[in-house]
mmCIF file of all heavy atoms in Angstrom:
data_model
loop_
_atom_site.group_PDB
_atom_site.id
_atom_site.type_symbol
_atom_site.label_atom_id
_atom_site.label_comp_id
_atom_site.label_asym_id
_atom_site.label_seq_id
_atom_site.Cartn_x
_atom_site.Cartn_y
_atom_site.Cartn_z
ATOM 1 N N ILE A 1 -3.561 -0.119 -7.510
ATOM 2 C CA ILE A 1 -3.002 -1.340 -6.737
ATOM 3 C C ILE A 1 -3.790 -1.357 -5.433
ATOM 4 O O ILE A 1 -4.189 -0.328 -4.881
ATOM 5 C CB ILE A 1 -1.585 -1.141 -6.373
ATOM 6 C CG1 ILE A 1 -0.740 -1.035 -7.701
ATOM 7 C CG2 ILE A 1 -1.071 -2.387 -5.614
ATOM 8 C CD1 ILE A 1 0.759 -0.769 -7.406
ATOM 9 N N THR A 2 -4.198 -2.601 -5.017
ATOM 10 C CA THR A 2 -4.832 -2.734 -3.729
ATOM 11 C C THR A 2 -3.909 -3.395 -2.679
ATOM 12 O O THR A 2 -3.118 -4.245 -3.100
ATOM 13 C CB THR A 2 -6.107 -3.498 -3.857
ATOM 14 O OG1 THR A 2 -5.817 -4.779 -4.389
ATOM 15 C CG2 THR A 2 -7.171 -2.846 -4.654
ATOM 16 N N CYS A 3 -3.946 -2.918 -1.486
ATOM 17 C CA CYS A 3 -3.145 -3.435 -0.421
ATOM 18 C C CYS A 3 -3.638 -4.852 0.066
ATOM 19 O O CYS A 3 -4.909 -5.001 0.324
ATOM 20 C CB CYS A 3 -3.058 -2.469 0.704
ATOM 21 S SG CYS A 3 -1.752 -3.002 1.939
ATOM 22 N N LYS A 4 -2.797 -5.786 0.124
ATOM 23 C CA LYS A 4 -3.247 -7.106 0.578
ATOM 24 C C LYS A 4 -3.096 -7.317 2.096
ATOM 25 O O LYS A 4 -3.490 -8.367 2.574
ATOM 26 C CB LYS A 4 -2.331 -8.145 -0.210
ATOM 27 C CG LYS A 4 -2.300 -8.034 -1.680
ATOM 28 C CD LYS A 4 -3.545 -8.586 -2.309
ATOM 29 C CE LYS A 4 -3.462 -8.713 -3.758
ATOM 30 N NZ LYS A 4 -4.151 -7.768 -4.507
ATOM 31 N N ASN A 5 -2.587 -6.365 2.775
ATOM 32 C CA ASN A 5 -2.360 -6.493 4.237
ATOM 33 C C ASN A 5 -3.713 -6.355 4.914
ATOM 34 O O ASN A 5 -4.383 -5.308 4.869
ATOM 35 C CB ASN A 5 -1.413 -5.368 4.731
ATOM 36 C CG ASN A 5 -1.103 -5.469 6.182
ATOM 37 O OD1 ASN A 5 -1.756 -6.272 6.944
ATOM 38 N ND2 ASN A 5 -0.299 -4.579 6.637
ATOM 39 N N PRO A 6 -4.232 -7.416 5.682
ATOM 40 C CA PRO A 6 -5.497 -7.351 6.296
ATOM 41 C C PRO A 6 -5.555 -6.353 7.448
ATOM 42 O O PRO A 6 -6.701 -5.873 7.801
ATOM 43 C CB PRO A 6 -5.744 -8.747 6.790
ATOM 44 C CG PRO A 6 -4.393 -9.427 6.831
ATOM 45 C CD PRO A 6 -3.546 -8.695 5.805
ATOM 46 N N ARG A 7 -4.441 -5.934 7.953
ATOM 47 C CA ARG A 7 -4.388 -4.961 9.025
ATOM 48 C C ARG A 7 -4.287 -3.505 8.519
ATOM 49 O O ARG A 7 -4.262 -2.559 9.277
ATOM 50 C CB ARG A 7 -3.250 -5.219 9.899
ATOM 51 C CG ARG A 7 -3.428 -6.484 10.699
ATOM 52 C CD ARG A 7 -2.334 -6.647 11.730
ATOM 53 N NE ARG A 7 -1.957 -8.099 11.742
ATOM 54 C CZ ARG A 7 -0.964 -8.539 12.404
ATOM 55 N NH1 ARG A 7 -0.178 -7.706 13.010
ATOM 56 N NH2 ARG A 7 -0.679 -9.803 12.345
ATOM 57 N N CYS A 8 -4.158 -3.337 7.206
ATOM 58 C CA CYS A 8 -4.091 -2.016 6.633
ATOM 59 C C CYS A 8 -5.381 -1.215 6.695
ATOM 60 O O CYS A 8 -6.475 -1.854 6.598
ATOM 61 C CB CYS A 8 -3.648 -2.060 5.137
ATOM 62 S SG CYS A 8 -3.454 -0.475 4.385
ATOM 63 N N VAL A 9 -5.250 0.056 6.960
ATOM 64 C CA VAL A 9 -6.496 0.832 7.099
ATOM 65 C C VAL A 9 -7.382 0.768 5.805
ATOM 66 O O VAL A 9 -8.600 0.960 5.972
ATOM 67 C CB VAL A 9 -6.166 2.326 7.414
ATOM 68 C CG1 VAL A 9 -5.425 3.036 6.326
ATOM 69 C CG2 VAL A 9 -7.324 3.126 7.889
ATOM 70 N N THR A 10 -6.821 0.521 4.662
ATOM 71 C CA THR A 10 -7.541 0.450 3.442
ATOM 72 C C THR A 10 -8.539 -0.810 3.430
ATOM 73 O O THR A 10 -9.435 -0.764 2.665
ATOM 74 C CB THR A 10 -6.604 0.370 2.207
ATOM 75 O OG1 THR A 10 -5.823 -0.857 2.334
ATOM 76 C CG2 THR A 10 -5.766 1.630 2.107
ATOM 77 N N SER A 11 -8.262 -1.738 4.274
ATOM 78 C CA SER A 11 -9.143 -2.920 4.263
ATOM 79 C C SER A 11 -10.408 -2.715 5.239
ATOM 80 O O SER A 11 -11.300 -3.493 5.012
ATOM 81 C CB SER A 11 -8.354 -4.174 4.699
ATOM 82 O OG SER A 11 -7.900 -4.004 6.057
ATOM 83 N N ILE A 12 -10.361 -1.697 6.000
ATOM 84 C CA ILE A 12 -11.508 -1.503 6.888
ATOM 85 C C ILE A 12 -12.193 -0.137 6.727
ATOM 86 O O ILE A 12 -13.238 0.057 7.129
ATOM 87 C CB ILE A 12 -11.093 -1.673 8.346
ATOM 88 C CG1 ILE A 12 -9.878 -0.827 8.748
ATOM 89 C CG2 ILE A 12 -10.825 -3.147 8.646
ATOM 90 C CD1 ILE A 12 -9.479 -0.889 10.206
ATOM 91 N N GLU A 13 -11.489 0.783 6.068
ATOM 92 C CA GLU A 13 -12.054 2.174 5.866
ATOM 93 C C GLU A 13 -11.994 2.491 4.357
ATOM 94 O O GLU A 13 -11.222 1.956 3.615
ATOM 95 C CB GLU A 13 -11.208 3.202 6.650
ATOM 96 C CG GLU A 13 -11.378 3.099 8.111
ATOM 97 C CD GLU A 13 -10.715 4.275 8.847
ATOM 98 O OE1 GLU A 13 -10.594 5.349 8.276
ATOM 99 O OE2 GLU A 13 -10.300 4.034 10.043
ATOM 100 N N ALA A 14 -12.903 3.351 3.968
ATOM 101 C CA ALA A 14 -13.028 3.766 2.680
ATOM 102 C C ALA A 14 -12.029 4.916 2.372
ATOM 103 O O ALA A 14 -12.436 6.118 2.244
ATOM 104 C CB ALA A 14 -14.361 4.288 2.276
ATOM 105 N N VAL A 15 -10.811 4.619 2.298
ATOM 106 C CA VAL A 15 -9.774 5.593 1.921
ATOM 107 C C VAL A 15 -9.103 5.136 0.657
ATOM 108 O O VAL A 15 -9.083 4.018 0.305
ATOM 109 C CB VAL A 15 -8.666 5.636 3.075
ATOM 110 C CG1 VAL A 15 -9.259 6.234 4.340
ATOM 111 C CG2 VAL A 15 -8.002 4.311 3.345
ATOM 112 N N PRO A 16 -8.487 6.037 -0.075
ATOM 113 C CA PRO A 16 -7.882 5.676 -1.424
ATOM 114 C C PRO A 16 -6.639 4.818 -1.183
ATOM 115 O O PRO A 16 -5.952 4.874 -0.185
ATOM 116 C CB PRO A 16 -7.452 7.031 -1.949
ATOM 117 C CG PRO A 16 -7.609 8.064 -0.908
ATOM 118 C CD PRO A 16 -8.396 7.520 0.222
ATOM 119 N N HIS A 17 -6.391 3.915 -2.062
ATOM 120 C CA HIS A 17 -5.278 3.009 -2.032
ATOM 121 C C HIS A 17 -4.135 3.757 -2.765
ATOM 122 O O HIS A 17 -4.180 3.959 -3.948
ATOM 123 C CB HIS A 17 -5.549 1.694 -2.763
ATOM 124 C CG HIS A 17 -6.577 0.869 -2.093
ATOM 125 N ND1 HIS A 17 -6.207 -0.238 -1.338
ATOM 126 C CD2 HIS A 17 -7.911 0.900 -2.131
ATOM 127 C CE1 HIS A 17 -7.293 -0.811 -0.824
ATOM 128 N NE2 HIS A 17 -8.309 -0.114 -1.270
ATOM 129 N N VAL A 18 -3.167 4.213 -1.960
ATOM 130 C CA VAL A 18 -2.087 4.972 -2.468
ATOM 131 C C VAL A 18 -0.811 4.260 -2.285
ATOM 132 O O VAL A 18 -0.493 3.782 -1.228
ATOM 133 C CB VAL A 18 -2.039 6.441 -1.777
ATOM 134 C CG1 VAL A 18 -0.823 7.254 -2.313
ATOM 135 C CG2 VAL A 18 -3.341 7.135 -1.854
ATOM 136 N N PHE A 19 0.019 4.099 -3.350
ATOM 137 C CA PHE A 19 1.310 3.396 -3.304
ATOM 138 C C PHE A 19 2.348 4.278 -3.910
ATOM 139 O O PHE A 19 2.080 5.049 -4.916
ATOM 140 C CB PHE A 19 1.136 2.129 -4.109
ATOM 141 C CG PHE A 19 0.400 0.979 -3.344
ATOM 142 C CD1 PHE A 19 -0.968 1.017 -3.339
ATOM 143 C CD2 PHE A 19 1.170 0.038 -2.688
ATOM 144 C CE1 PHE A 19 -1.570 0.034 -2.616
ATOM 145 C CE2 PHE A 19 0.492 -0.910 -1.952
ATOM 146 C CZ PHE A 19 -0.952 -0.926 -1.946
ATOM 147 N N HIS A 20 3.530 4.159 -3.428
ATOM 148 C CA HIS A 20 4.702 4.898 -3.901
ATOM 149 C C HIS A 20 5.783 3.878 -4.411
ATOM 150 O O HIS A 20 5.996 2.836 -3.754
ATOM 151 C CB HIS A 20 5.305 5.730 -2.736
ATOM 152 C CG HIS A 20 4.389 6.730 -2.202
ATOM 153 N ND1 HIS A 20 4.315 8.042 -2.822
ATOM 154 C CD2 HIS A 20 3.557 6.685 -1.234
ATOM 155 C CE1 HIS A 20 3.321 8.652 -2.116
ATOM 156 N NE2 HIS A 20 2.872 7.877 -1.124
ATOM 157 N N LEU A 21 6.400 4.247 -5.495
ATOM 158 C CA LEU A 21 7.477 3.316 -6.073
ATOM 159 C C LEU A 21 8.560 3.173 -5.071
ATOM 160 O O LEU A 21 9.137 4.071 -4.527
ATOM 161 C CB LEU A 21 8.002 3.951 -7.379
ATOM 162 C CG LEU A 21 8.995 3.152 -8.138
ATOM 163 C CD1 LEU A 21 8.388 1.805 -8.593
ATOM 164 C CD2 LEU A 21 9.457 3.927 -9.323
ATOM 165 N N ALA A 22 8.902 1.900 -4.745
ATOM 166 C CA ALA A 22 9.916 1.595 -3.790
ATOM 167 C C ALA A 22 11.291 1.272 -4.381
ATOM 168 O O ALA A 22 12.269 1.491 -3.688
ATOM 169 C CB ALA A 22 9.461 0.451 -2.926
ATOM 170 N N ASP A 23 11.342 0.760 -5.614
ATOM 171 C CA ASP A 23 12.578 0.418 -6.299
ATOM 172 C C ASP A 23 12.387 0.370 -7.775
ATOM 173 O O ASP A 23 11.275 0.610 -8.304
ATOM 174 C CB ASP A 23 13.129 -0.855 -5.728
ATOM 175 C CG ASP A 23 12.257 -2.015 -5.932
ATOM 176 O OD1 ASP A 23 11.408 -2.100 -6.905
ATOM 177 O OD2 ASP A 23 12.277 -3.008 -5.197
ATOM 178 N N ASP A 24 13.476 0.094 -8.482
ATOM 179 C CA ASP A 24 13.470 0.032 -9.942
ATOM 180 C C ASP A 24 12.916 -1.197 -10.519
ATOM 181 O O ASP A 24 12.758 -1.380 -11.724
ATOM 182 C CB ASP A 24 14.846 0.238 -10.458
ATOM 183 C CG ASP A 24 15.403 1.645 -10.298
ATOM 184 O OD1 ASP A 24 14.552 2.526 -10.015
ATOM 185 O OD2 ASP A 24 16.559 1.876 -10.289
ATOM 186 N N GLU A 25 12.539 -2.151 -9.584
ATOM 187 C CA GLU A 25 12.014 -3.453 -9.989
ATOM 188 C C GLU A 25 10.525 -3.493 -10.132
ATOM 189 O O GLU A 25 9.912 -4.511 -10.451
ATOM 190 C CB GLU A 25 12.456 -4.539 -9.030
ATOM 191 C CG GLU A 25 13.990 -4.644 -8.813
ATOM 192 C CD GLU A 25 14.628 -5.168 -10.047
ATOM 193 O OE1 GLU A 25 14.079 -6.180 -10.685
ATOM 194 O OE2 GLU A 25 15.671 -4.679 -10.424
ATOM 195 N N GLY A 26 9.832 -2.336 -9.785
ATOM 196 C CA GLY A 26 8.435 -2.253 -9.915
ATOM 197 C C GLY A 26 7.707 -2.689 -8.554
ATOM 198 O O GLY A 26 6.511 -3.103 -8.672
ATOM 199 N N ARG A 27 8.368 -2.584 -7.456
ATOM 200 C CA ARG A 27 7.690 -2.851 -6.187
ATOM 201 C C ARG A 27 7.202 -1.508 -5.630
ATOM 202 O O ARG A 27 7.888 -0.480 -5.696
ATOM 203 C CB ARG A 27 8.760 -3.485 -5.252
ATOM 204 C CG ARG A 27 9.029 -4.983 -5.612
ATOM 205 C CD ARG A 27 9.765 -5.627 -4.515
ATOM 206 N NE ARG A 27 11.228 -5.443 -4.727
ATOM 207 C CZ ARG A 27 11.972 -6.250 -5.449
ATOM 208 N NH1 ARG A 27 11.512 -7.256 -6.098
ATOM 209 N NH2 ARG A 27 13.279 -6.006 -5.563
ATOM 210 N N TYR A 28 5.981 -1.584 -5.070
ATOM 211 C CA TYR A 28 5.312 -0.344 -4.510
ATOM 212 C C TYR A 28 5.048 -0.537 -2.995
ATOM 213 O O TYR A 28 4.671 -1.647 -2.643
ATOM 214 C CB TYR A 28 4.038 -0.055 -5.321
ATOM 215 C CG TYR A 28 4.304 0.445 -6.652
ATOM 216 C CD1 TYR A 28 4.648 -0.283 -7.783
ATOM 217 C CD2 TYR A 28 4.298 1.875 -6.857
ATOM 218 C CE1 TYR A 28 4.880 0.308 -8.922
ATOM 219 C CE2 TYR A 28 4.591 2.425 -8.095
ATOM 220 C CZ TYR A 28 4.835 1.667 -9.121
ATOM 221 O OH TYR A 28 5.154 2.187 -10.338
ATOM 222 N N ARG A 29 5.171 0.589 -2.292
ATOM 223 C CA ARG A 29 4.896 0.580 -0.911
ATOM 224 C C ARG A 29 3.684 1.242 -0.620
ATOM 225 O O ARG A 29 3.395 2.446 -1.003
ATOM 226 C CB ARG A 29 6.166 1.337 -0.154
ATOM 227 C CG ARG A 29 5.983 1.370 1.320
ATOM 228 C CD ARG A 29 7.177 2.312 1.947
ATOM 229 N NE ARG A 29 7.355 3.489 1.150
ATOM 230 C CZ ARG A 29 6.612 4.630 1.250
ATOM 231 N NH1 ARG A 29 5.580 4.663 2.065
ATOM 232 N NH2 ARG A 29 6.904 5.735 0.602
ATOM 233 N N CYS A 30 2.804 0.605 0.210
ATOM 234 C CA CYS A 30 1.550 1.151 0.641
ATOM 235 C C CYS A 30 1.847 2.426 1.569
ATOM 236 O O CYS A 30 2.635 2.396 2.442
ATOM 237 C CB CYS A 30 0.746 0.221 1.408
ATOM 238 S SG CYS A 30 -0.866 0.867 2.107
ATOM 239 N N GLU A 31 1.156 3.444 1.281
ATOM 240 C CA GLU A 31 1.313 4.740 2.017
ATOM 241 C C GLU A 31 0.985 4.605 3.458
ATOM 242 O O GLU A 31 1.449 5.305 4.367
ATOM 243 C CB GLU A 31 0.491 5.848 1.352
ATOM 244 C CG GLU A 31 0.717 7.218 1.945
ATOM 245 C CD GLU A 31 0.101 8.311 1.130
ATOM 246 O OE1 GLU A 31 0.813 8.839 0.220
ATOM 247 O OE2 GLU A 31 -1.109 8.659 1.374
ATOM 248 N N TYR A 32 0.041 3.675 3.856
ATOM 249 C CA TYR A 32 -0.538 3.596 5.197
ATOM 250 C C TYR A 32 0.279 2.550 6.031
ATOM 251 O O TYR A 32 0.489 2.823 7.129
ATOM 252 C CB TYR A 32 -1.982 3.255 5.087
ATOM 253 C CG TYR A 32 -2.769 4.220 4.262
ATOM 254 C CD1 TYR A 32 -3.237 3.814 2.963
ATOM 255 C CD2 TYR A 32 -3.058 5.507 4.695
ATOM 256 C CE1 TYR A 32 -3.874 4.748 2.248
ATOM 257 C CE2 TYR A 32 -3.718 6.342 3.949
ATOM 258 C CZ TYR A 32 -4.207 6.018 2.661
ATOM 259 O OH TYR A 32 -4.868 6.918 1.903
ATOM 260 N N CYS A 33 0.586 1.396 5.408
ATOM 261 C CA CYS A 33 1.125 0.302 6.284
ATOM 262 C C CYS A 33 2.519 -0.112 5.840
ATOM 263 O O CYS A 33 3.098 -1.016 6.474
ATOM 264 C CB CYS A 33 0.175 -0.898 6.296
ATOM 265 S SG CYS A 33 0.111 -1.831 4.717
ATOM 266 N N ASP A 34 3.051 0.434 4.804
ATOM 267 C CA ASP A 34 4.358 0.159 4.293
ATOM 268 C C ASP A 34 4.497 -1.237 3.629
ATOM 269 O O ASP A 34 5.559 -1.694 3.431
ATOM 270 C CB ASP A 34 5.522 0.344 5.322
ATOM 271 C CG ASP A 34 5.700 1.812 5.595
ATOM 272 O OD1 ASP A 34 5.363 2.680 4.747
ATOM 273 O OD2 ASP A 34 6.073 2.115 6.751
ATOM 274 N N ASN A 35 3.388 -1.923 3.413
ATOM 275 C CA ASN A 35 3.397 -3.247 2.831
ATOM 276 C C ASN A 35 3.915 -3.046 1.311
ATOM 277 O O ASN A 35 3.601 -2.110 0.652
ATOM 278 C CB ASN A 35 1.920 -3.796 2.706
ATOM 279 C CG ASN A 35 1.913 -5.243 2.192
ATOM 280 O OD1 ASN A 35 2.768 -6.079 2.558
ATOM 281 N ND2 ASN A 35 0.976 -5.548 1.414
#
């Protein structure tokens, strides 16, 4: 998954896109910006 938040560190630096499951509906939270 890629983070769509333009202010997230993943949009300006070469860091891995890491997401954690936020709920049972299939929503994921960005590890860096909580998007």
Side-chain angles (χ1 to χ4, degrees):
I1 301 174
T2 55
C3 189
K4 306 283 192 251
N5 181 357
R7 292 188 218 169
C8 183
V9 67
T10 60
S11 65
I12 53 175
E13 291 186 28
V15 295
H17 292 261
V18 180
F19 283 81
H20 300 274
L21 185 62
D23 60 27
D24 292 341
E25 302 291 317
R27 286 188 275 272
Y28 284 83
R29 179 185 46 77
C30 176
E31 184 169 271
Y32 306 102
C33 70
D34 291 331
N35 186 43

